Structures are given as C-alpha cells and as structure tokens.
Amino acid sequence: MLLYDSLTRKKVELPPPPGPIRMYVCGPTVYQRIHIGNARPYIVFIWLKRWLEEQGYDVKLVENITDINDKIYAAAAQRKMGSAELAAEATRWYIEDTDDLGLERPDVEPLATETIPEIVALISELIDRGLAYESSGDVYYRVGAFPDYGRLSGADPDEMVAQEPSDLKEDPRDFALWKANKAHEDTSWESPWGKGRPGWHIECSAMAEKHLGPEFEIHGGGIDLRFPHHENELAQSRGAGRPFADMWAHNGLLQLDEEKMSKSAGNIVSLREVLDRWGPEATLVYFLGAHYRSPIDYSDEAMNAAKTQVEGFRNAFRGMSEKPALGWDALAAALEDDFNTQAALAVLHQWRSAGQVDLLRKGLSLFGLDRLAQEQSAPPEVIALATRRQEARGFGAFDQADRLREQIESAGWEVRDIADGFQLVPRT
C-alpha cells in the first residue's frame, strides 16, 4: 500500500498488515455548521480506514474537534452567547451532519477542552528544553531554535512574517503555545503562567500523543493546514523529543467558483444543505470522483453528475445480466496506489456495466454506498396505479394508461414494462 507523504514529497510504502496503522486527522473548529469542503477529510480518512481494514490492517483513527479557538470567541460574541455553549452546539451539528453521510465515526473524537492537563505538561517540557518562553502570561515557541522548521511546508524561516503579531515575542516568527486570558474571553484554565487557554497548534500535538502515543503512522488533514498548523505541530512534538507522525497525508481543497471554499471568506455551502438537497449517496459519489490530493470543484453540474451515477449504480441491481469483466484486483490496484478513488470509481462503473452485482455490492459497501444495492419499494398507492395501468394496456385503453403513467411519475416513480409485468423505480 503506497501513500504520498507530504514531508518527503514521495510515495511511501506502509508496513505490511496487520500494521498497526494509527492515524490522526485534524477535524473542524466548531463555531457554525461545517461546509462541504470540511467534510472531505472526514470522508477520505474514514474511507482509507475501511480500505486498510479490508486489507487486514489493525487501524485506529483519531479525529479531533477544536472547541477552543479565537474564531469561536468571535462568533459567540456576535451571537451574544457563551463560547462554550456555541462550541457545544456546533459540535452537535457537526456530529449530526457527518452521521447523515452513513459512514461510521472515527474511533476517538477528542475535544481540546478535555486535553488541558496534557497541553500544559507539553508546554512545560518545551520551556524546559529552551524551545519556548513565557512573556506576560503568554508562552511562545522559539521558531529559530528548531533547525528543521519549514521542512514539511517548504516555508523559509528567514523569509517568514509574523504568524500572530505581538510585542511580547522575542522573534516575530514565534507562535503562541499558551495565551493569557483576555477580557472578551469567557473561558480560561489555570496554568503555571496564569489563567489562559492553549494556542491552536499545541492542542493537536497533545491530543495526538494522548490517544496514539509519541509515534504513529499517518497524520492527515486538508492541504491548507500544512502551514502553519501542521508545520507548528511537527516543531512542537519533535522539539519535545517525540518522533510524532511517520508520514503526512493531505487532501486537496474544494473550490466554489474557482476559489477555495472557506468559512472566513464566506463562500460556503454547508454539508447540511448538500445532504438535504442531493442526499448522502450523491455526496459520497461526488467525492469518489476526484483523487483525494487533487482540488475539486463544487457546482450543481458536478452534483447532478454524481446523482446520475448513483441512479446508474441502483439500476445495476434491477435485473441486469452479468458479463465477464474486471475482478476485485482491479479495485485493489487503484486503491493501493495512493488511494486513487477516481480510478476505483471507474472500476465500479465497469462492474455496473457488466452486471457484476456481487463485486459492485462489495465495492460500494467499502465507500458507505451499500444502500444503493437495497431495493426501494413503491408505496401501495403507486403499485395500485401501476396495476391499473397494466390492466388498461391489456384492454387496449392506451390513453388511460398514459394518464396513469403521468400520475405515477407525479408521485416520484417511473414504471417500466418488463416481460412478466411491470417494475417501479424512483425517478431521478
């Protein structure tokens, strides 16, 4: 199994089964409903976990929820509510919306607020090692004291501008590990440096170590997190003497009107909106259609194409005869080469065209699409209309049969004439 490693810039081979394979993936910062782009790492790494388990690996997937963050304070103030209350509400939305995709959840979904003791202990270690310093209740990481800084992202430390401007820093490039409590912040925790709360980057270093140990196989997340978030995680954890992640896997971003979809930019479509309009199956097929490392455009046209493919898969289980085509090895070859779901989707379509329903059912199940193999039953009133239409056709009353067909279609169903009667399928 090969995966592209953002740190070494090449495909690397995973250890043979059963591994183990431990994965940490950066999840959302919770202050509003997640957008469809935020769903991509959730889906991709659940899929990767399922495929690795199919191959015999022992897999543990940890995906965090960031419930302490500047964005949460700002959004809570705008809504005139407590930041902890908003974070809890947005966490519920996130779990509800991702549950509706029909995939299982990660093995562990830690909250930053549950990890404060581990965060404080890790910051203290960095101070003891000379890689961090306290300044007026804040604690900062010394970027210049970590020689490998910039290796993951390609950032040149000598050309960096301040990540978070502050007169309290020794060096403008340094970043915050702990932030002293401000007047507008309604949550805080005790620490050796006074009341405050953690910086964003240290949260993930501590949560990853707490649930996966000091070294694990894969760190995942969106490519937009590579700098500064993942670069800072790497510096913190390796600076503290941990091997941390053996490799880094980054998914590409979603684009809306050729611009990155972003909550801060305001050009978003929420996952909830997409699920309500297009359904979970079309959403999953949409993501299957692009390699996980590639950017992907979101549009009505793209979702319509995904919905058409969903109906094609459904129709494959409605009486098509099987013709010889590709075997399971074709799907395995696609996924073992950097988890190429785009190539895997092409294999699924070849199985569909050949009527290889057993392989298709198994392949769709891997991606949470086994529901497409389940027959949908028409309601009794629609079956009654179809029966009357069949009788009308038998008597030669074709005008009446056409009117009954229109009523069936208005009810959301299509009637198809087959050798021994009729078949009802949902309209696309």
Side-chain angles (χ1 to χ4, degrees):
M1 176 74 194
L2 298 174
L3 274 181
Y4 183 84
D5 176 20
S6 298
L7 184 62
T8 60
R9 282 27 173 214
K10 63 183 180 182
K11 294 178 186 178
V12 299
E13 188 170 356
L14 296 184
I21 299 294
R22 294 155 297 180
M23 296 191 287
Y24 182 87
V25 176
C26 285
T29 298
V30 283
Y31 60 95
Q32 63 183 51
R33 290 201 113 97
I34 67 165
H35 62 68
I36 183 64
N38 298 143
R40 194 177 196 188
Y42 181 90
I43 293 169
V44 164
F45 289 99
I46 288 282
W47 280 347
L48 179 58
K49 176 179 187 288
R50 294 172 79 141
W51 172 246
L52 292 172
E53 289 174 338
E54 168 70 25
Q55 297 296 92
Y57 282 95
D58 175 20
V59 186
K60 183 176 182 179
L61 173 60
V62 176
E63 183 171 329
N64 79 292
I65 296 172
T66 297
D67 59 346
I68 314 168
N69 190 275
D70 291 313
K71 293 177 180 178
I72 300 173
Y73 289 122
Q78 189 173 29
R79 295 182 59 175
K80 295 181 172 55
M81 63 188 300
S83 63
E85 180 187 0
L86 174 59
E89 182 178 45
T91 298
R92 287 193 297 272
W93 292 336
Y94 165 67
I95 292 172
E96 288 170 5
D97 294 349
T98 49
D99 268 351
D100 285 350
L101 288 165
L103 303 170
E104 74 266 25
R105 300 215 66 78
D107 297 300
V108 187
E109 295 179 274
L111 302 174
T113 51
E114 299 172 341
T115 321
I116 300 299
E118 292 83 2
I119 291 170
V120 169
L122 183 55
I123 295 172
S124 297
E125 281 193 61
L126 291 168
I127 292 174
D128 292 343
R129 287 172 172 262
L131 284 167
Y133 58 92
E134 187 270 342
S135 179
S136 298
D138 289 354
V139 180
Y140 294 97
Y141 186 93
R142 287 190 173 100
V143 168
F146 186 71
D148 276 350
Y149 194 89
R151 184 179 164 206
L152 175 63
S153 64
D156 184 346
D158 293 332
E159 296 180 0
M160 281 176 54
V161 297
Q163 297 180 38
E164 302 166 291
S166 172
D167 294 336
L168 300 176
K169 296 181 182 182
E170 295 177 354
D171 183 327
R173 302 172 301 176
D174 296 346
F175 60 88
L177 302 174
W178 188 261
K179 299 182 178 184
N181 186 238
K182 311 296 191 298
H184 69 281
E185 297 174 353
D186 60 351
T187 56
S188 63
W189 291 263
E190 295 290 348
S191 81
W193 319 287
K195 281 190 173 184
R197 45 92 178 193
W200 175 31
H201 316 297
I202 197 70
E203 295 173 355
C204 283
S205 284
M207 284 187 280
E209 182 173 353
K210 178 177 180 178
H211 296 285
L212 295 176
E215 183 175 10
F216 51 94
E217 284 68 36
I218 301 172
H219 194 311
I223 191 65
D224 55 328
L225 299 180
R226 189 168 59 173
F227 185 85
H229 185 49
H230 289 168
E231 191 73 71
N232 291 351
E233 280 186 62
L234 185 63
Q236 292 161 168
S237 295
R238 292 199 173 171
R242 280 64 158 170
F244 205 51
D246 294 337
M247 67 164 295
W248 296 75
H250 288 105
N251 63 268
L253 303 180
L254 257 70
Q255 299 178 150
L256 182 65
D257 297 327
E258 299 183 353
E259 292 185 3
K260 168 193 165 186
M261 194 177 288
S262 163
K263 286 182 280 190
S264 58
N267 62 333
I268 65 170
V269 179
S270 74
L271 174 60
R272 181 74 270 151
E273 292 175 85
V274 174
L275 290 171
D276 287 346
R277 182 177 180 190
W278 301 102
E281 292 86 2
T283 304
L284 294 175
V285 170
Y286 161 71
F287 280 113
L288 268 178
H291 191 283
Y292 77 93
R293 288 195 288 118
S294 300
I296 181 172
D297 292 321
Y298 179 84
S299 65
D300 284 356
E301 291 78 11
M303 293 306 299
N304 263 314
K307 187 175 180 182
T308 298
Q309 292 180 78
V310 163
E311 290 310 310
F313 287 132
R314 278 205 178 101
N315 287 334
F317 298 97
R318 293 171 180 152
M320 293 180 65
S321 59
E322 183 167 327
K323 296 172 285 186
L326 300 176
W328 184 258
D329 287 349
L331 185 75
L335 296 179
E336 287 176 1
D337 186 6
D338 199 25
F339 202 59
N340 192 338
T341 59
Q342 189 174 34
L345 180 60
V347 173
L348 293 176
H349 278 298
Q350 290 186 58
W351 290 341
R352 174 190 59 77
S353 297
Q356 291 185 280
V357 293
D358 289 339
L359 281 174
L360 182 59
R361 182 180 288 105
K362 183 179 178 182
L364 290 172
S365 179
L366 183 68
F367 299 106
L369 290 163
D370 43 313
R371 290 159 291 185
L372 300 183
Q374 298 170 1
E375 186 175 348
Q376 292 178 276
S377 298
E381 60 270 22
V382 174
I383 295 174
L385 289 172
T387 302
R388 288 171 54 198
R389 176 184 171 276
Q390 186 179 26
E391 293 171 349
R393 283 172 55 84
F395 293 132
F398 296 109
D399 288 345
Q400 181 184 359
D402 287 344
R403 288 193 295 272
L404 288 164
R405 175 189 287 275
E406 290 173 2
Q407 291 179 51
I408 292 167
E409 291 176 348
S410 296
W413 291 82
E414 178 184 347
V415 60
R416 297 176 182 176
D417 297 310
I418 57 178
D420 56 350
F422 60 85
Q423 182 183 49
L424 289 165
V425 296
R427 294 193 70 194
T428 60

